[in-house]
Amino acid sequence: MKEFYHSKKKKIRGWKRHKRKIERWKQSVIDLDMDHIREYERDYAKLWIHPFYSLVRRNPPNWYNRLLLDEMLNVYMNWYEKMTGENENFYLKIWLYEPDFINSQIVFSYKDCINTYDDTFDKNLVTKTFPIHKYESLADKLALFDWEAHIAAEIYWGTELKEDIVLESRTKGEVNEIINKSYKAEKVKLSYGNDILYKVNVGDVWLGTLKKGNFQQ
């Protein structure tokens, strides 16, 4: 959520150490746990790299993101290779967030869970061009994928916004601003009654899927 991103960023030191964390992250996720996925039928790999992915999230500089994305692509390919031996249809995508790159992840599902993530994001109806300029050194790898633009949305429930006003954690003006900024308001029937779900556009999520014929064992 947006409030996790801190506006007062302390200077990050020790970049050699932080670069080594990328390799450790890759090694921790590159081998898809087949026993786990056969039991749960889905898995994911988030960028659990401190101090970027923490309670107060902060985006690394672009050069660091390029190193992360390079390894994400390598992990994706390894997972893809593992799953081609299963003779099952599967969902395997990179969720690449812009501008909040540190939220990016690799997501997998199959069998009964294969459609779990189909409606996770609303498709962006505005024509967008993938921001290849930010990752030019990876252009050849990125060209192996189809990239679809979706909306990164912050979710707000109407009842919770009203409670925020009562608790004085938000003013009426702040709540009205959220409602006015929302690109979608949906009436939802829940166990406790009817509610309104507000979605606010806070960026893009590019869903990357390997193009058919681009995998070589």
Side-chain angles (χ1 to χ4, degrees), residues 44-47 53 72 93-97 101-107:
Y44 59 86
K46 294 185 178 182
L47 300 176
Y53 197 107
M72 289 180 74
K93 296 183 186 291
I94 291 176
W95 295 356
L96 185 65
Y97 281 74
F101 181 92
I102 201 60
N103 282 338
S104 302
Q105 56 185 293
I106 307 163
V107 180

Side-chain angles (χ1 to χ4, degrees), residues 30-82:
I30 196 165
D31 292 320
L32 193 60
D33 186 337
M34 300 306 292
D35 290 335
H36 175 88
I37 66 145
R38 285 172 185 146
E39 180 176 359
Y40 297 102
E41 300 180 353
R42 54 181 170 168
D43 205 352
Y44 59 86
K46 294 185 178 182
L47 300 176
W48 304 104
I49 298 178
H50 187 79
F52 311 108
Y53 197 107
S54 56
L55 182 60
V56 177
R57 293 182 200 166
R58 47 200 307 190
N59 280 309
N62 285 338
W63 66 264
Y64 194 89
N65 290 343
R66 285 193 290 271
L67 296 177
L68 273 172
L69 182 55
D70 191 20
E71 296 300 1
M72 289 180 74
L73 293 167
N74 291 335
V75 171
Y76 180 105
M77 290 300 196
N78 199 63
W79 286 20
Y80 191 97
E81 181 178 8
K82 277 270 185 80

Side-chain angles (χ1 to χ4, degrees), residues 130-157:
F130 183 78
I132 192 69
H133 63 281
K134 297 182 73 172
Y135 313 105
E136 281 191 43
S137 59
L138 303 175
D140 291 343
K141 281 187 175 182
L142 293 171
L144 301 177
F145 289 73
D146 284 318
W147 296 97
E148 289 188 347
H150 290 67
I151 298 172
E154 277 191 16
I155 304 299
Y156 300 90
W157 291 98

Side-chain angles (χ1 to χ4, degrees), residues 12-205:
I12 296 175
R13 303 180 186 277
W15 282 106
K16 286 184 179 179
R17 175 167 49 87
H18 293 307
K19 284 173 68 175
R20 289 195 294 271
K21 291 178 181 178
I22 298 175
E23 177 63 22
R24 288 201 295 272
W25 172 84
K26 181 187 79 171
Q27 293 303 326
S28 71
V29 299
I30 196 165
D31 292 320
L32 193 60
D33 186 337
M34 300 306 292
D35 290 335
H36 175 88
I37 66 145
R38 285 172 185 146
E39 180 176 359
Y40 297 102
E41 300 180 353
R42 54 181 170 168
D43 205 352
Y44 59 86
K46 294 185 178 182
L47 300 176
W48 304 104
I49 298 178
H50 187 79
F52 311 108
Y53 197 107
S54 56
L55 182 60
V56 177
R57 293 182 200 166
R58 47 200 307 190
N59 280 309
N62 285 338
W63 66 264
Y64 194 89
N65 290 343
R66 285 193 290 271
L67 296 177
L68 273 172
L69 182 55
D70 191 20
E71 296 300 1
M72 289 180 74
L73 293 167
N74 291 335
V75 171
Y76 180 105
M77 290 300 196
N78 199 63
W79 286 20
Y80 191 97
E81 181 178 8
K82 277 270 185 80
M83 290 313 305
T84 53
E86 289 291 292
N87 294 317
E88 294 273 0
N89 292 327
F90 58 88
Y91 173 107
L92 180 59
K93 296 183 186 291
I94 291 176
W95 295 356
L96 185 65
Y97 281 74
E98 290 287 344
D100 297 324
F101 181 92
I102 201 60
N103 282 338
S104 302
Q105 56 185 293
I106 307 163
V107 180
F108 163 83
S109 64
Y110 79 147
K111 292 188 177 179
D112 291 341
C113 291
I114 194 168
N115 300 121
T116 297
Y117 303 104
D118 288 354
D119 299 319
T120 302
F121 306 105
D122 294 325
K123 224 172 183 181
N124 202 321
L125 300 180
V126 177
T127 301
K128 294 236 175 187
T129 301
F130 183 78
I132 192 69
H133 63 281
K134 297 182 73 172
Y135 313 105
E136 281 191 43
S137 59
L138 303 175
D140 291 343
K141 281 187 175 182
L142 293 171
L144 301 177
F145 289 73
D146 284 318
W147 296 97
E148 289 188 347
H150 290 67
I151 298 172
E154 277 191 16
I155 304 299
Y156 300 90
W157 291 98
T159 53
E160 292 180 355
L161 290 174
K162 289 177 182 177
E163 287 174 5
D164 289 346
I165 294 173
V166 173
L167 296 172
E168 298 183 349
S169 58
R170 283 191 173 97
T171 66
K172 286 184 180 179
E174 289 170 336
V175 168
N176 287 334
E177 185 179 1
I178 289 170
I179 292 172
N180 292 334
K181 284 196 305 184
S182 63
Y183 69 90
K184 185 181 288 187
E186 301 176 1
K187 290 183 179 179
V188 183
K189 192 172 184 178
L190 301 170
S191 58
Y192 59 80
N194 295 328
D195 207 338
I196 300 178
L197 176 68
Y198 297 99
K199 294 184 177 182
V200 177
N201 186 332
V202 294
D204 299 316
V205 187

